[in-house]
């Protein structure tokens, strides 16, 4: 199963980008041994529309258009479900075992995710009720994907 981390907005060079990529590289290395085809970071351009609802609609169209066929969508949103790391790992493992071709985690733009993306999501997750900068959410998501790989592999990275 492929994992794709979709992010609206492009990363600038620097420590944040490097850290997110480091976790993705680690997840790729750990995931191959346990049946994951790879983890990919895809950055989509932010909409230039003037109104927030128009921007969210444009970005939703780009996200949904970029999804591979049969991909399950997980939306990352501050109003989503709080899920412990072990349960997130279990969700990924179950989807892998069920033969899902791909799973996409989506981070919206500055105005959030459009209604079409939220409606298409099988799961909406939150990293907490606080609002975080997109660069930090990207790092947290990449780290949680890596953590999930280590949990599924029985690696001691995650400690209870």
């Amino acid at each position: 199963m492929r994992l794709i981390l979709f992010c609206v907005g492009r990363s600038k060079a620097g420590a944040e980008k490097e850290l997110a990529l480091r976790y993705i590289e680690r997840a790729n290395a750990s995931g191959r041994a346990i049946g994951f085809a790879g983890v990919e970071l895809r950055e989509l351009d932010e909409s230039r529309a003037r109104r927030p609802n128009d921007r969210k609609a444009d970005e939703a169209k780009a996200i949904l258009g970029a999804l591979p066929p049969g991909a399950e969508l997980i939306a990352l949103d501050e109003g989503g479900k709080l899920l412990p790391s072990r349960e997130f790992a279990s969700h990924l493992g179950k989807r892998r075992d069920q033969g899902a071709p791909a799973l996409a985690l989506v981070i919206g733009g500055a105005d959030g995710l459009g209604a079409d993306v939220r409606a298409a999501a099988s799961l909406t997750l939150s990293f907490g009720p606080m609002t975080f900068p997109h660069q930090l959410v990207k790092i947290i998501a990449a780290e949680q994907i890596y953590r999930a790989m280590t949990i599924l592999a029985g690696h001691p990275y995650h400690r209870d």
Side-chain angles (χ1 to χ4, degrees):
M1 179 174 81
R2 291 173 46 209
L3 293 172
I4 306 162
L5 179 56
F6 279 98
C7 305
V8 175
R10 305 258 176 208
S11 294
K12 295 171 182 67
E16 296 92 349
K17 182 176 183 174
E18 291 173 19
L19 186 55
L21 290 175
R22 185 178 319 148
Y23 281 120
I24 289 171
E25 288 170 9
R26 289 179 182 177
N28 275 321
S30 298
R32 277 188 220 102
I34 56 171
F36 289 90
V39 181
E40 179 183 345
L41 174 63
R42 287 196 197 170
E43 297 177 325
L44 303 170
D45 291 328
E46 295 175 83
S47 169
R48 299 204 184 280
R50 300 186 87 195
R51 297 181 324 166
N53 285 340
D54 293 339
R55 284 192 295 272
K56 289 193 290 189
D58 288 350
E59 292 165 358
K61 190 174 185 179
I63 291 165
L64 295 173
L67 287 176
E72 175 183 344
L73 193 144
I74 296 177
L76 297 175
D77 183 84
E78 64 188 24
K81 182 177 180 179
L82 296 171
L83 205 61
S85 295
R86 284 200 178 275
E87 286 185 40
F88 177 64
S90 177
H91 182 80
L92 296 184
K94 284 177 187 172
R95 298 302 292 140
R96 175 202 59 199
D97 296 346
Q98 293 168 344
L103 191 144
L105 281 82
V106 179
I107 301 168
D111 298 303
L113 290 168
D116 290 347
V117 172
R118 289 194 309 274
S122 64
L123 177 63
T124 302
L125 291 180
S126 173
F127 293 140
M130 293 180 166
T131 301
F132 296 106
H134 289 80
Q135 296 301 325
L136 288 181
V137 173
K138 189 182 304 182
I139 293 167
I140 294 167
E143 191 279 337
Q144 284 300 299
I145 291 169
Y146 169 62
R147 183 176 296 274
M149 298 298 112
T150 64
I151 289 169
L152 293 170
H155 186 279
Y157 176 77
H158 180 76
R159 294 175 175 87
D160 288 322

